Amino acid sequence: MHESYEAAPILEKLPLTIESIACYEDILLVGTKQGHLLQYKVKRVKSSGESKFEVNLERSNKAFAKKPITQLEAVPELFILISLSDNVICVHDLMSFDLVTTVNKTKGATLFSVDLEKPTNLEGKIQYNLRICVTSKRRAQFYYWKNRDFYDLLNELSLYDMPRAMAWCKDSICIGFKRDYFLINSKNGDLKELFPLGSRQLEPLVTKLADNRLALGRDIMSILINAEGEPTQKHPVKWSDIPVALQHDPPYLIAILPKYVEIRTIEPQRIIQSIDLSKARFVCHGSGCVYVASANFVWRLASVSIPQQIRDLLQGKEFELALRLAEMTEEPELEKQKRIRNIQNLYAFDLFCQHRFEESMNLFATLGTDPSNVIGLYPNLLPQEYRNQLEYPDKLPDLEGGDLEKGLLALIDFLMQKRNEMIVDLNKDISTTAIVEGNSVIKTKKQLSQIIDTTLLKCYLQTNDALVAPLLRLQDNNCHIEESERILKRKEKFSELIILYQKKGLHQKALNLLMKQAARPDSQLKGHDRTVSYLQHLGVDHWDLIKEYSEWVLKKHPEDGLKIFTEDLPEVESLPCDKVLDYLENISTDLATQYLEHVILHLNNETPDFHNRLILMYKSHVSQLMKDYINSLPEAGHPPNNPGQEPGELGDYRRKLIGFLYKSQCYIPERLLTRFPLDGFYEERAILLGRLGRHEQALGIYIHVLHDTVKAEEYCASHFDGESESNKDVYVHLL
């Protein structure tokens, strides 16, 4: 608890009996049982320590009423004073106490309640609309104020019992009877039953709050409702005893209890203070002043200065109430916002210390608190040098196990929100606040992005490492390289480290790591598959690296190594085919042959040089295999098989060679003819001669060397063209 008010005596041992009080500005009005009306001017006296007031009796009207003045209401906006005495409503001039009007229709009145509306007109001027409800026995009357008199607002309503308490709330008036509460609509007179009084409660209690709500008494509870009679919060305000009277002085609710005055807040619900004021019965509020009275005493509840209250509340870690008060301070707007932000940061920090991580992070996010200050709340997330520069309002909690994981998950949400905010508005300047004034804050977007992504990486490693790779693959990932490298190595997350290197363009580091891990049997990166995949995605800009690191794979696993150059990927297709071919040919003719087959047959490359080279590679393979084949034949008159019908690999290559010579239209035959000797490769020479239009020589090979008239006829059929001078005589040549 803290002190929100100081009770200062205003009137002591008054010889008259107080029946009612009212106040406005620095004026206190006291209505007595003897019918006297007393007006006091109350001025605060400057003094250190206790609140002291100078009290002067300005006027005493002994003839104000013949009977006790049971109710008073000052309306300074309209310069009138409304009173209830001798069971009738009277209106007096507030300045002179002269009688303005007696509302004769209200004879027999026992209670009244006023409502002052303050709408603005089209010119921006305030127009005051005053309404009053007066009850007498079992009826309710409604009037409005105009031209210095009251006029009927609504037809008189009959009630089932005599009202004992009432208050306005917008267009509704709530009436408390001996047993229950009702709500009356002042527009149409409709009644709505609310709820009964408590079993221990002798009298109803209806109080209007400053925020257009009502507080209805039910034993030791005050139930809060709106103008429609609906409860506005889940839990009622609970008092130490049954209140006799109630007054709202935001953010406090002041209750007169049988033995003392109790002060509480509605939201958050807290008991603030108890003040021992003997036999208090009445309370009134006006112009920021609160007065409490007994039969012969009056006290002023002087509000303790808001800055002092805020200091006391912060010391007691009552941040929500401190914020409410900070919003009420009368100071320059920039200073006010700075104070509020400071309190909110302290509140968010306290929520963190209570392990209410989600609430804490949400508040930090709303405040725009510097992410590095928030990250520093957690152990081992910031570089130690930077962390040592940060200060916090109190000792940080020791987080471990489930608490640490819960906290990290809340931090991840906070950091992702900040990350997304940066992406949405890249041109927006950074503006963050420190948890403690004087702490370092991030000043550039690049630095902020780096610290957010690096911390997310560390959080994922501790909570859900399956999210590390997706984070590193993000196009805009900005993890700090050295810090991320260190943590990933320590956790042996080599696959993720490869992604980091790849995204940061550190390909040599990535390939060195892949080579090293490939040889470890217990590594997730063992073997060569990941290396092949990595090299496939490098592209033409990294041709030297591809050559350097692919040789190891090509020599140990030629088929898989060849995939580095033959996969259907944009990066692979961007590689210079001539350089790849030269490189592969230096390693293995077989690899070069397969690569050329891919380039020509799959990619449909029509470069003549490539077609020529593939033909010569086929020829080379055939030549090498032919020697072994000839040597394997029996000596006695066993001729070799026809071209392409040789067994095994030789036959395969020979068929490829002959088929390609027939099919390809891109090779240059005159460059190839001399490479095919006269004592072998007869059919191949015939095909090349045919391409050159030398049909007589080609047919001579089929007839005189190969003795194959069928192929000779097929040759003629494929080359004959009656319209072509060079091809119209092929059959003549055959004959």
Side-chain angles (χ1 to χ4, degrees), residues 283-333:
V283 61
C284 72
H285 176 273
S287 304
C289 304
V290 179
Y291 292 93
V292 174
S294 65
N296 305 101
F297 291 79
V298 178
W299 299 271
R300 168 87 167 260
L301 294 189
S303 177
V304 175
S305 74
I306 288 180
Q308 180 59 50
Q309 288 193 61
I310 290 173
R311 284 193 292 273
D312 293 342
L313 288 166
L314 293 180
Q315 196 169 358
K317 297 187 176 181
E318 292 285 350
F319 300 102
E320 291 173 88
L321 186 52
L323 282 171
R324 293 285 302 279
L325 288 173
E327 289 165 358
M328 295 167 59
T329 56
E330 294 181 2
E331 56 185 333
E333 191 61 26

Side-chain angles (χ1 to χ4, degrees), residues 1-19:
M1 295 201 304
H2 79 284
E3 284 199 359
S4 52
Y5 296 96
E6 294 176 21
I10 301 298
L11 301 176
E12 298 182 275
K13 297 181 181 179
L14 193 70
L16 302 170
T17 304
I18 298 172
E19 283 288 327

Side-chain angles (χ1 to χ4, degrees), residues 55-120:
V55 182
N56 293 310
L57 177 62
E58 287 195 328
R59 276 189 292 178
S60 174
N61 189 335
K62 295 181 180 180
F64 188 81
K66 295 177 182 179
K67 296 287 182 74
I69 305 170
T70 56
Q71 203 173 344
L72 282 173
E73 186 74 46
V75 188
E77 293 87 352
L78 298 173
F79 309 104
I80 59 173
L81 174 65
I82 304 170
S83 64
L84 173 60
S85 179
D86 198 16
N87 300 108
V88 69
I89 299 294
C90 293
V91 181
H92 292 77
D93 186 278
L94 191 59
M95 301 295 109
S96 64
F97 291 167
D98 291 340
L99 182 65
V100 176
T101 183
T102 299
V103 188
N104 292 315
K105 285 185 180 181
T106 64
K107 284 182 179 178
T110 54
L111 194 63
F112 76 86
S113 177
V114 301
D115 176 59
L116 184 66
E117 295 180 314
K118 303 176 183 180
T120 53

Side-chain angles (χ1 to χ4, degrees), residues 634-652:
E635 292 184 11
H638 196 291
N641 291 347
N642 290 333
Q645 296 180 9
E646 298 92 342
E649 197 176 4
L650 172 60
D652 293 338

Side-chain angles (χ1 to χ4, degrees), residues 31 69 80 93 113 118 185 191 336 348 375 413 416 429 438 472 487 497 521 616 647 666:
I69 305 170
I80 59 173
D93 186 278
S113 177
K118 303 176 183 180
N185 187 315
L191 269 73
K336 178 188 281 193
I375 295 165
D413 289 341
M416 286 303 298
D429 292 334
L472 294 172
I487 189 84
L497 184 54
L616 292 175
C666 298

Side-chain angles (χ1 to χ4, degrees), residues 549-561:
Y549 287 93
S550 62
E551 187 172 353
W552 170 76
V553 185
L554 287 164
K555 287 182 176 178
K556 289 197 170 187
H557 309 279
E559 287 188 10
D560 291 333

Side-chain angles (χ1 to χ4, degrees), residues 202-337:
L202 297 177
E203 292 292 334
L205 183 60
V206 182
T207 307
K208 183 179 180 181
L209 306 184
D211 54 1
N212 279 320
R213 289 190 292 173
L214 293 168
L216 309 186
R218 191 175 191 191
D219 286 339
I220 64 168
M221 298 183 298
S222 290
I223 297 171
L224 274 57
I225 64 169
N226 59 21
E228 287 72 45
E230 300 160 342
T232 60
Q233 59 188 60
K234 189 175 181 180
H235 301 290
V237 179
K238 291 187 178 180
W239 304 96
S240 303
D241 204 341
I242 298 174
V244 175
L246 209 62
Q247 184 63 56
H248 191 209
D249 182 27
Y252 301 115
L253 204 54
I254 302 166
I256 309 297
L257 303 185
K259 294 182 180 179
Y260 51 86
V261 174
E262 188 168 280
I263 298 153
R264 289 180 177 265
T265 52
I266 298 171
E267 193 65 44
Q269 287 198 24
R270 301 277 191 277
I271 181 167
I272 302 301
Q273 189 178 3
S274 295
I275 304 174
D276 190 6
L277 298 178
S278 178
K279 298 180 181 178
R281 292 173 54 202
F282 312 107
V283 61
C284 72
H285 176 273
S287 304
C289 304
V290 179
Y291 292 93
V292 174
S294 65
N296 305 101
F297 291 79
V298 178
W299 299 271
R300 168 87 167 260
L301 294 189
S303 177
V304 175
S305 74
I306 288 180
Q308 180 59 50
Q309 288 193 61
I310 290 173
R311 284 193 292 273
D312 293 342
L313 288 166
L314 293 180
Q315 196 169 358
K317 297 187 176 181
E318 292 285 350
F319 300 102
E320 291 173 88
L321 186 52
L323 282 171
R324 293 285 302 279
L325 288 173
E327 289 165 358
M328 295 167 59
T329 56
E330 294 181 2
E331 56 185 333
E333 191 61 26
L334 286 176
E335 290 296 316
K336 178 188 281 193
Q337 291 307 317

